[in-house]
Amino acid sequence: MKKILFIVLALILSTHAWANQPKNWQLGFQDSASQGMTEIVNFHNDILLPIIIAISVFVLFLMIYVCIRFRESKNPNPSKTTHNVAVEVLWTLIPCLILIVMAVPSFKILYKQDTIPKADITVKAIGYQWYWGYEYPDENILFESYMIKEDELKEDQPRLLTVDNEVVVPVNKVVKVLITANDVLHAWALPSFGVKRDAVPGRINETWFKAEKVGTYYGQCSELCGIQHAFMPITVRVVTDEEYAIWLTEAKMKFAKEPITENEYKKLASK
Ligand SMILES: [Cu+2]
């Protein structure tokens, strides 16, 4: 009995610790950690899923009914009807109405995500083949973030998702993310925050999130970008304000951008 209790407890605790990354045999979305993602999850669960289930059940019922009711032995002389105006109007109108019912809340969420509130922190993510570069433009910080190989992982570090330098942001603050790429198309995606934007060379896309829970969150490049597309994960660590201040001081020393020399400046200017 004690053993079973222990196993159950271990299972509960272990699923808790893994809450922000994909789980084995997972159904549905990863746990939400921002209001934006909560809205997406609710929209899916409360509006989309019931409609999808209703349509699937209805079509299945129709097919079974037709197979039984109009089988050859029961119905040897089939009807020659080819048109029925009432039915045709209905099967156009009803799907239209269903689409409108889905579109209204969908656009509401979409526009909300598209309007970036006043940002507390700005992070720029730059996609490279095959790693991410991060810049905190207001703090003069610039660093690269590479995946940790499987044989170098420490305990509790998830495979294919752990990086050497994580993005660190404070909890409950609006983080604006500027997203671009330096070579080919990539995409910066973080399921728990409901964030996914293409990283396009020569152009900057914007998005934002406000993480509501302290923790480590994992995402992956989500645009096929070459042979190592699967090996450029995104790790965001959400910390308290105090921890963020400490990290910032350390990061400023560790990742400070080299100031540009006068010679380099002249070279650039003459181009
Ligand atoms: Cu990529």
Side-chain angles (χ1 to χ4, degrees):
M1 190 63 200
K2 244 186 185 171
K3 208 173 171 187
I4 296 172
L5 261 176
F6 178 77
I7 292 171
V8 170
L9 200 71
L11 269 176
I12 293 170
L13 286 176
S14 68
T15 49
H16 185 79
W18 297 90
N20 309 310
Q21 68 197 57
K23 293 185 258 261
N24 286 338
W25 301 100
Q26 177 184 333
L27 277 178
F29 297 104
Q30 288 181 39
D31 291 341
S32 156
S34 77
Q35 203 202 339
M37 188 56 188
T38 308
E39 279 167 8
I40 293 174
V41 172
N42 291 345
F43 174 56
H44 171 268
N45 290 352
D46 302 343
I47 298 173
L48 295 188
L49 206 57
I51 294 177
I52 293 167
I53 292 171
I55 292 175
S56 307
V57 169
F58 177 64
V59 171
L60 183 71
F61 163 79
L62 278 186
M63 282 167 65
I64 294 170
Y65 178 78
V66 168
C67 288
I68 295 170
R69 172 71 180 76
F70 298 104
R71 67 187 192 273
E72 199 189 6
S73 55
K74 255 277 154 89
N75 193 45
N77 300 310
S79 147
K80 295 274 178 356
T81 312
T82 55
H83 289 286
N84 184 315
V85 175
V87 169
E88 282 163 24
V89 169
L90 277 181
W91 75 34
T92 309
L93 262 185
I94 294 172
C96 277
L97 290 175
I98 295 175
L99 285 179
I100 291 168
V101 167
M102 297 192 320
V104 173
S106 171
F107 277 96
K108 251 192 210 162
I109 296 175
L110 204 63
Y111 284 126
K112 207 172 158 188
Q113 291 198 334
D114 218 36
T115 327
I116 301 178
K118 197 184 162 318
D120 297 309
I121 283 169
T122 306
V123 179
K124 186 172 160 194
I126 309 141
Y128 297 94
Q129 280 179 319
W130 287 275
Y131 59 95
W132 289 96
Y134 293 103
E135 201 179 320
Y136 287 59
D138 305 328
E139 311 290 350
N140 209 34
I141 291 173
L142 181 73
F143 61 89
E144 282 155 3
S145 182
Y146 285 88
M147 188 191 79
I148 299 208
K149 292 204 188 78
E150 210 173 328
D151 49 1
E152 290 159 19
L153 285 176
K154 290 192 200 105
E155 220 183 314
D156 284 350
Q157 287 187 328
R159 182 179 151 266
L160 299 181
L161 291 173
T162 309
V163 297
D164 53 358
N165 295 317
E166 299 147 338
V167 178
V168 178
V169 294
V171 71
N172 283 322
K173 290 272 155 66
V174 175
V175 180
K176 179 157 112 176
V177 194
L178 307 173
I179 299 162
T180 186
N182 207 41
D183 35 43
V184 299
L185 292 177
H186 301 268
W188 202 82
L190 232 128
S192 288
F193 300 156
V195 162
K196 183 182 273 179
R197 277 283 187 287
D198 274 0
V200 183
R203 121 173 223 159
I204 291 182
N205 283 337
E206 288 183 335
T207 187
W208 69 281
F209 64 83
K210 189 163 126 185
E212 291 167 340
K213 280 181 263 178
V214 169
T216 308
Y217 300 88
Y218 299 97
Q220 285 175 305
C221 175
S222 298
E223 177 71 65
L224 190 53
C225 60
I227 194 163
Q228 290 194 58
H229 164 62
F231 309 109
M232 48 182 296
I234 296 151
T235 308
V236 176
R237 192 150 53 87
V238 177
V239 297
T240 59
D241 283 346
E242 296 79 52
E243 285 169 322
Y244 179 69
I246 296 169
W247 177 81
L248 210 55
T249 326
E250 284 171 5
K252 272 183 186 163
M253 294 194 281
K254 205 169 148 197
F255 303 126
K257 258 193 281 185
E258 287 281 320
I260 190 162
T261 64
E262 207 174 324
N263 271 339
E264 279 171 335
Y265 178 77
K266 274 182 193 155
K267 240 192 227 166
L268 281 172
S270 66
K271 263 185 193 169

